[in-house]
Amino acid sequence: MKFLKKNLLLIIILFLTCSAFSQELKLLEGETFSYEYLIVKIHKEPMSDGSLTKYLKIELTIKEKNKAGYLISVKQPRTITFNPFFGKYDTNSKLRYDPLPYLIQDNLLCYIPLYIQIDNSGNILNVQDRDNLQKKILEEQYKYIDMTDRTRFEKGAANFVKNPGFLNICRQIFKPEKSETKEVNNNLGRLIYKTDIKYDVNGLLANYSFDSTVTYKSSTKLFSERRVITRLNHADKESKTLKLAYQELYPNGYINNDPSAVWKLDALLKKYEDNKLENSEEFYTKQIELIDRHMPANDYEYWNKRLEVSLYIGDDLDDLLEKVPVTFMTNYLILIEKLSRNFEDLDADAFLSTLTRLYNTNDAGTEINIFTEDLDELINTEFAKKALTSTNSKERIFFDNFRAKILTAKNKRIAAPFLTLFDYIELSKSQDTDLIFKLLAEDSRSFSEYTWRYKLMTYDFLKKIKISDSVSTVYLDSILNGIQKDIKVIDSLAAGTNSDSYYWKRYRPKLRLLYKIYLSQAYSRKSESSPELKNSYEKLAREYRPDLKEIADLGLEIKIENDFLPNRPDEFYLSSAKDTDPDAYLEELTSMCIVEPLRYKTLESEYKRLHPEGNFKVYFNSQIKKYLPSVDFKLDDYLGSNFNSLDHKGKFIFIDFWGTWCGACLPEMGNIDAYFKSNQANTDLKVITIACFDKKENIQKYMSGNQYSFPVLMSDGIIEKKTKISHYPTKLLILPNGTYLPLPLRSDYKDLVGKYMKWHIE
């Protein structure tokens, strides 16, 4: 009897438990209820941190009870989103002048309902009225967006209405689940999640919370996610979920529900950039002042946008840099300017704080990284030079304080550019044997491309203090291996899906150049430490020297590296070949002559010494064609005349690639005009320019406004690809045989062209 009672009790408990999760919904037609949903995702990694927050309010109305179950109207009257790529957005505000597609979609869901059919157990059977919503989304997008690629936007709208975000929330509301806590451990790491769910007597969700954390064994990466769904109680004066969302979205306590002032600034800035000549700067300054008057001092999102505008309009950048906390700054140029001020003030805490913000900030969807030119110049040139040479006591205190902070920084990406620099400084000060062997034990570390600069400097120091050859050789070999590994990584990344991205197009050439310089420097040192393989290592050192295009495009970077790691004199690269391989010696002299045209006479005399019966002109012309690419083109100028480069074969043709949009180009156009006029009678030289990404009307307006007369050809977009133009302005010199060479950026191109014109080329 006891056994039956015990089992009967167990059966009753099981029945009640199962029925709790399989009970039918009991809903009334016309009934309306609301839910709030909040999701907060956070990821922390050694190289970066990030977060995403989204709040939704959902209204559900039972339209009818039918045979299948219930037809329910679903609206999403409010959405608040924070995405590090696109900032904050609240559907309580009007749409900005250039909304992103997902903002349009969320905005339309505020007042256009979708209808879902569910069965009596809460399963979603279908979603109705999708076509109407998709049509409305596309109509709205066409108002705001230049629809040059309609297919992509149509697919995006179709995907959105196929599975709008709130459907998963509706599934959770109507379809009961169990509360549970679970922990999963495997080779990758550990996952812990906890789900807590409560339902009301009608089978509807009352409260739902989900918390998960993922930690990885192999690194300090951590991902966490929190989701909350709460039945809205209209008797409550304040929504706890909305309050929680505000805490995530507005940490300074100022809740900005109307970002329209920020968008007005955006619109003014866009108008300023598009119509600089139509209104004076004073006009825009007055418009901005009118907006400023109504903005509270703690609306930092607005003042952050004002900071960005101040880069282009007005003279209040200094005041605004002090007014806006670093944690609200999002523009990388502003942050780099702030970082520069922190460095000038020798404020180690502020410098680290701004640096941290830089690495955890996204600007226009592009991640801030160490390869940004301005940041690169500040850290790896100005900071590094002063850290290596300063004897000022205040500056030394700053560097010591910053070093102590950076060594304990959680974000290893921030510390990366500084670690080997400070290792070298510490070693050169103390000559500590223990530190030497610590560096040797960690010699495979590559924190950034500049790691190898300081490791080569460390190697030179080890040789200077006469550490044993066996130790220095091992260290140098590890440097060579490390650089070669890094080059493979860069090449494999560049070959991936992002190889056409702005980042790779702009910064990969610089990365490749730096690694080539370091390899050349390492091989030159190897040739000195390995007499038996001296010639082989010298040859490798020659092969990895910067080529002509790199010297033309990245001459400043080469000069900067030469300040830290003085290059070997040219004779170093010629010595072994001169004695052992005359042809290789002449080829190396030719390559040097292309970079330094005054070596032409030396090359000629050396050729005649080694080949008394040879024809130098024939040799030189064949070598030029071997080393330099050729190009020919036909283009129309902005007045309608045609130019064919082949019609000018036998002449030198100087070309300047520019555009009226190019801020760096315009200041030197007066010099280009003077250069053209001074060579109009020169039968051996033709001076022309090519306008890129520009319109004839812009050129006409610019030329007539400045009374310039130099020829301007309109680019067809192909000539830049043929000549591998990657930045503006760029200057080329086409030689009489149709080959061409780039002229180094910031060089005295008039003097350089004069030197090349002394060559005898056929």
Side-chain angles (χ1 to χ4, degrees):
M1 192 69 179
K2 287 182 180 179
F3 175 79
L4 286 173
K5 285 183 179 179
K6 187 176 180 180
N7 281 277
L8 182 61
L9 183 62
L10 181 62
I11 291 168
I12 291 169
I13 291 171
L14 285 171
F15 173 77
L16 290 173
T17 303
C18 292
S19 63
F21 290 99
S22 61
Q23 65 184 2
E24 289 193 353
L25 295 170
K26 300 172 184 177
L27 307 176
L28 300 174
E29 284 189 11
E31 187 177 3
T32 297
F33 39 91
S34 301
Y35 284 88
E36 292 179 304
Y37 170 78
L38 176 67
I39 181 169
V40 180
K41 291 183 179 181
I42 297 172
H43 74 265
K44 295 183 179 294
E45 299 185 63
M47 301 300 270
S48 64
D49 297 338
S51 64
L52 180 144
T53 303
K54 187 163 189 173
Y55 165 87
L56 300 178
K57 183 180 178 183
I58 297 173
E59 283 186 0
L60 304 157
T61 302
I62 312 303
K63 303 303 288 185
E64 66 176 44
K65 186 174 184 345
N66 50 38
K67 290 181 180 180
Y70 299 93
L71 180 66
I72 301 174
S73 162
V74 185
K75 284 198 294 187
Q76 189 176 302
R78 190 170 185 191
T79 302
I80 309 174
T81 303
F82 171 70
N83 183 312
F85 290 102
F86 307 119
K88 296 185 181 76
Y89 175 69
D90 188 340
T91 51
N92 270 12
S93 308
K94 65 179 181 180
L95 277 174
R96 57 185 291 169
Y97 68 91
D98 60 343
L100 295 157
Y102 84 92
L103 299 182
I104 292 173
Q105 294 159 4
D106 284 341
N107 202 63
L108 287 172
L109 285 174
C110 291
Y111 57 89
I112 298 178
L114 279 178
Y115 294 90
I116 60 173
Q117 177 68 52
I118 65 171
D119 64 18
N120 291 319
S121 297
N123 297 300
I124 297 177
L125 303 178
N126 60 65
V127 180
Q128 300 176 13
D129 220 20
R130 294 181 198 261
D131 292 342
N132 179 49
L133 179 59
Q134 183 174 342
K135 180 182 175 184
K136 293 284 186 184
I137 288 172
L138 290 173
E139 285 176 358
E140 200 68 17
Q141 285 180 350
Y142 295 161
K143 292 180 187 177
Y144 292 99
I145 299 168
D146 179 15
M147 304 299 288
T148 53
D149 184 6
R150 291 198 171 207
T151 304
R152 182 165 63 89
F153 283 95
E154 286 167 2
K155 284 182 179 178
N159 289 335
F160 176 78
V161 298
K162 183 179 180 181
N163 190 25
F166 61 67
L167 269 188
N168 288 329
I169 303 171
C170 290
R171 290 187 183 100
Q172 193 66 60
I173 291 170
F174 295 117
K175 187 66 177 174
E177 290 183 9
K178 293 181 181 179
S179 298
E180 64 175 330
T181 300
K182 195 169 183 179
E183 181 174 335
V184 178
N185 290 282
N186 56 34
N187 293 333
L188 295 175
R190 182 172 66 163
L191 163 66
I192 301 174
Y193 68 85
K194 180 181 179 182
T195 308
D196 186 18
I197 305 172
K198 294 178 182 176
Y199 290 88
D200 65 15
V201 293
N202 296 319
L204 285 174
L205 182 71
N207 287 290
Y208 166 92
S209 66
F210 171 86
D211 290 276
S212 72
T213 304
V214 182
T215 53
Y216 290 82
K217 287 182 178 178
S218 59
S219 70
T220 56
K221 285 197 298 185
L222 183 143
F223 292 85
S224 67
E225 180 178 328
R226 186 181 187 196
R227 295 198 301 265
V228 176
I229 305 174
T230 308
R231 177 83 171 267
L232 195 60
N233 186 346
H234 296 290
D236 291 341
K237 291 183 179 180
E238 185 177 26
S239 160
K240 292 180 181 179
T241 307
L242 185 58
K243 186 177 180 181
L244 188 61
Y246 281 154
Q247 288 173 359
E248 294 288 340
L249 292 162
Y250 304 100
N252 70 320
Y254 177 74
I255 299 172
N256 178 11
N257 287 330
D258 183 13
S260 58
V262 171
W263 298 339
K264 285 178 184 175
L265 288 179
D266 265 331
L268 272 174
L269 184 57
K270 188 174 188 300
K271 187 176 180 182
Y272 172 78
E273 290 174 340
D274 292 343
N275 307 292
K276 285 181 183 177
L277 301 178
E278 292 186 13
N279 294 298
S280 66
E281 185 165 318
E282 185 181 358
F283 166 81
Y284 293 101
T285 303
K286 286 182 178 179
Q287 294 291 312
I288 291 168
E289 286 174 355
L290 289 173
I291 305 173
D292 284 352
R293 289 176 192 171
H294 304 286
M295 302 311 297
N298 65 341
D299 188 348
Y300 295 128
E301 289 182 45
Y302 172 80
W303 295 112
N304 172 55
K305 175 54 69 174
R306 276 286 283 111
L307 256 176
E308 185 181 332
V309 172
S310 71
L311 289 171
Y312 307 92
I313 307 170
D315 56 1
D316 50 359
L317 177 64
D318 291 343
D319 293 338
L320 290 167
L321 276 172
E322 296 301 318
K323 186 172 188 173
V324 181
V326 166
T327 51
F328 284 85
M329 295 180 184
T330 55
N331 182 284
Y332 79 93
L333 289 175
I334 294 292
L335 282 163
I336 291 170
E337 181 61 32
K338 183 71 174 179
L339 191 69
S340 180
R341 305 288 177 94
N342 299 151
F343 185 42
E344 289 173 7
D345 296 339
L346 300 176
D347 188 335
D349 288 318
F351 190 81
L352 181 57
S353 176
T354 306
L355 198 61
T356 302
R357 180 63 181 163
L358 257 170
Y359 281 100
N360 292 334
T361 299
N362 290 281
D363 181 60
T366 303
E367 190 175 355
I368 304 303
N369 54 67
I370 195 60
F371 306 111
T372 303
E373 289 173 339
D374 301 286
L375 182 59
D376 194 15
E377 181 181 350
L378 176 60
I379 291 177
N380 296 302
T381 303
E382 295 176 32
F383 182 98
K385 282 184 178 179
K386 192 164 280 192
L388 289 165
T389 60
S390 176
T391 57
N392 180 285
S393 59
K394 288 184 178 179
E395 290 176 351
R396 293 296 353 143
I397 291 171
F398 164 79
F399 288 117
D400 289 342
N401 288 342
F402 182 70
R403 177 176 180 269
K405 293 176 185 300
I406 212 72
L407 290 175
T408 57
K410 293 181 180 179
N411 191 328
K412 299 305 179 188
R413 186 181 181 200
I414 296 171
F418 304 97
L419 294 177
T420 41
L421 167 63
F422 284 128
D423 280 347
Y424 170 76
I425 292 171
E426 191 67 17
L427 175 64
S428 61
K429 282 196 306 184
S430 66
Q431 299 187 26
D432 184 350
T433 306
D434 291 339
L435 181 58
I436 291 172
F437 286 102
K438 172 179 172 286
L439 293 177
L440 291 173
E442 297 175 339
D443 59 13
S444 61
R445 295 182 302 172
S446 172
F447 300 114
S448 78
E449 64 275 20
Y450 294 97
T451 291
W452 308 114
R453 174 202 282 174
Y454 304 117
K455 284 185 177 292
L456 285 165
M457 291 170 66
T458 299
Y459 170 81
D460 291 342
F461 182 77
L462 295 178
K463 296 295 287 184
K464 181 181 176 181
I465 62 174
K466 298 182 179 178
I467 198 166
S468 70
D469 288 343
S470 60
V471 172
S472 60
T473 299
V474 169
Y475 190 67
L476 183 57
D477 286 343
S478 72
I479 292 173
L480 275 166
N481 291 333
I483 296 171
Q484 289 163 343
K485 284 180 184 177
D486 275 6
I487 289 175
K488 287 181 181 178
V489 170
I490 293 298
D491 287 345
S492 65
L493 288 172
T497 54
N498 293 324
S499 58
D500 289 332
S501 70
Y502 175 81
Y503 165 78
W504 284 112
K505 285 181 178 178
R506 186 168 178 85
Y507 296 114
R508 184 171 176 263
K510 179 180 176 180
L511 279 178
R512 290 284 301 176
L513 170 71
L514 288 172
Y515 284 120
K516 281 181 68 176
I517 289 173
Y518 299 144
L519 262 184
S520 179
Q521 292 268 7
Y523 280 129
S524 68
R525 285 159 175 75
K526 194 71 179 167
S527 72
E528 294 168 334
S529 65
S530 307
E532 69 283 2
L533 295 172
K534 182 176 185 294
N535 293 342
S536 298
Y537 285 125
E538 276 190 7
K539 184 178 179 182
L540 287 168
R542 288 199 303 271
E543 288 177 2
Y544 284 102
R545 295 178 78 200
D547 60 31
L548 182 64
K549 180 166 175 53
E550 288 166 335
I551 292 170
D553 293 348
L554 299 162
L556 181 60
E557 283 75 8
I558 295 170
K559 182 180 181 302
I560 288 170
E561 287 309 307
N562 196 45
D563 290 340
F564 289 94
L565 293 167
N567 203 0
R568 300 293 196 263
D570 289 340
E571 285 64 30
F572 170 85
Y573 299 98
L574 294 170
S575 58
S576 61
K578 186 175 183 179
D579 299 331
T580 60
D581 190 342
D583 289 337
Y585 167 64
L586 287 175
E587 285 191 9
E588 184 62 25
L589 259 182
T590 303
S591 68
M592 290 179 178
C593 177
I594 291 172
V595 177
E596 302 172 60
L598 286 182
R599 285 184 178 270
Y600 179 81
K601 288 294 182 184
T602 303
L603 174 62
E604 183 178 17
S605 63
E606 286 295 281
Y607 176 85
K608 289 179 178 178
R609 179 179 69 82
L610 294 168
H611 300 284
E613 304 299 322
N615 187 323
F616 174 69
K617 284 185 180 180
V618 172
Y619 170 80
F620 183 67
N621 277 273
S622 66
Q623 288 294 100
I624 288 298
K625 288 180 180 178
K626 175 183 173 181
Y627 278 100
L628 297 179
S630 59
V631 68
D632 63 81
F633 59 90
K634 294 179 183 178
L635 293 173
D636 291 335
D637 68 17
Y638 75 102
L639 298 172
S641 299
N642 181 264
F643 180 93
N644 187 341
S645 63
L646 294 177
D647 293 341
H648 302 274
K649 200 165 185 180
K651 294 182 181 180
F652 289 87
I653 304 175
F654 169 87
I655 309 175
D656 181 49
F657 290 83
W658 69 294
T660 57
W661 48 267
C662 170
C665 302
L666 301 183
E668 62 176 31
M669 299 318 292
N671 292 331
I672 294 290
D673 191 59
Y675 188 48
F676 163 72
K677 288 175 180 175
S678 66
N679 283 283
Q680 279 184 291
N682 190 336
T683 57
D684 295 322
L685 176 65
K686 186 76 176 174
V687 176
I688 63 171
T689 71
I690 297 179
C692 306
F693 306 104
D694 224 323
K695 297 178 180 178
K696 288 183 179 180
E697 52 266 33
N698 293 343
I699 300 297
Q700 287 174 335
K701 187 175 181 180
Y702 180 78
M703 296 294 285
S704 61
N706 290 280
Q707 297 184 335
Y708 291 150
S709 55
F710 56 83
V712 184
L713 310 183
M714 302 305 297
S715 170
D716 56 2
I718 298 172
I719 181 64
E720 295 102 303
K721 292 180 181 178
K722 281 184 177 181
T723 52
K724 299 179 180 178
I725 302 297
S726 58
H727 59 266
Y728 303 88
T730 290
K731 295 170 179 59
L732 299 183
L733 183 64
I734 298 180
L735 306 182
N737 62 3
T739 60
Y740 72 91
L741 49 82
L743 300 175
L745 190 66
R746 304 182 188 90
S747 65
D748 183 349
Y749 57 86
K750 300 173 191 176
D751 179 64
L752 204 51
V753 170
K755 291 173 181 176
Y756 283 116
M757 289 182 69
K758 292 178 181 177
W759 289 0
H760 297 290
I761 300 177
E762 298 173 348

